[in-house]
Amino acid sequence: GLPAEDIQVVIDTQYFQVAKKTIQEAKTSVQVMMFEMGYYEKHPTTPSNILIRELIEAKKRGVKVEVILEVREGEERTTKRNRQTGKILSGGGVEVIYDPLFKTTHTKLMVVDGKLTLLGSTNWTYYALTNNHEVAVLIRSHEVARELMDFFNRVKATGSRK
């Protein structure tokens, strides 16, 4: 096992506020690996749009922000949604990597400043952030963060920016 200073259980709609605050307080780095991240042009104030904009704001204030998103062959919903979101993030200076087509990245993970990890079932989509039953944990641990940053970097090395 790995040591942790603190673990907070994050249930249902609590996730949005915890994720937003964690991104806003980031000082050096934010790494996000997400199965599905939706940006809704017609609904600018949805929670996922706000989190996506917070990543861009973090980048603007000098935080290193990297995002890995799931894509598959073809034009199914998750791929279309993630490619659209990837363009928005890239346009804001965020480094976006798409996982390899032969592997499904079902992870919902955020590591901040090498010490905070938010890990659970929550995608960054409207229903996941507002209606679904979801559960996550916010873990304060350099050791856990280091393990998951290593995982992030291994997946990143297999992905592409196209």
Side-chain angles (χ1 to χ4, degrees), residues 8 10 14-23 118 138:
Q8 176 184 342
V10 180
Q14 294 173 350
Y15 181 97
F16 169 70
Q17 290 300 331
V18 170
K20 181 179 168 193
K21 180 177 189 275
T22 303
I23 296 166
L118 184 59
L138 179 65

Side-chain angles (χ1 to χ4, degrees), residues 107-134:
T107 308
K108 292 92 172 178
L109 166 70
M110 181 168 62
V111 180
V112 176
D113 294 341
K115 66 182 177 187
L116 287 173
T117 302
L118 184 59
L119 175 67
S121 65
T122 311
N123 282 301
W124 287 15
T125 61
Y126 177 77
Y127 282 103
L129 293 166
T130 62
N131 293 340
N132 294 358
H133 282 302
E134 305 281 358

Side-chain angles (χ1 to χ4, degrees), residues 25-122:
E25 294 176 356
K27 304 278 188 271
T28 59
S29 64
V30 177
Q31 292 155 314
V32 179
M33 189 183 309
M34 195 63 52
F35 175 71
E36 190 167 0
M37 190 182 285
Y39 192 87
Y40 305 90
E41 297 283 344
K42 294 179 182 174
H43 306 282
T45 61
T46 61
S48 58
N49 288 15
I50 293 168
L51 293 178
I52 290 161
R53 287 194 301 267
E54 288 295 343
L55 291 176
I56 293 168
E57 288 303 312
K59 174 64 180 169
K60 287 179 182 175
R61 65 174 191 272
V63 175
K64 180 181 181 181
V65 182
E66 302 171 290
V67 175
I68 298 173
L69 296 172
E70 163 67 18
V71 291
R72 300 177 187 154
E73 296 233 25
E75 289 296 312
E76 52 78 47
R77 185 192 74 187
T78 298
T79 297
K80 286 169 70 172
R81 198 174 266 177
N82 285 346
R83 290 223 184 262
Q84 175 197 12
T85 301
K87 286 179 187 171
I88 291 164
L89 287 166
S90 293
V94 172
E95 183 178 358
V96 177
I97 300 95
Y98 299 101
D99 75 345
L101 297 176
F102 62 85
K103 192 80 158 179
T104 299
T105 297
H106 201 247
T107 308
K108 292 92 172 178
L109 166 70
M110 181 168 62
V111 180
V112 176
D113 294 341
K115 66 182 177 187
L116 287 173
T117 302
L118 184 59
L119 175 67
S121 65
T122 311

Side-chain angles (χ1 to χ4, degrees), residues 130-157:
T130 62
N131 293 340
N132 294 358
H133 282 302
E134 305 281 358
V135 67
V137 288
L138 179 65
I139 305 165
R140 182 178 302 276
S141 165
H142 290 281
E143 293 83 359
V144 170
R146 187 176 320 112
E147 287 276 329
L148 291 169
M149 286 187 310
D150 288 347
F151 171 65
F152 181 96
N153 288 325
R154 285 193 307 273
V155 174
K156 178 183 169 183

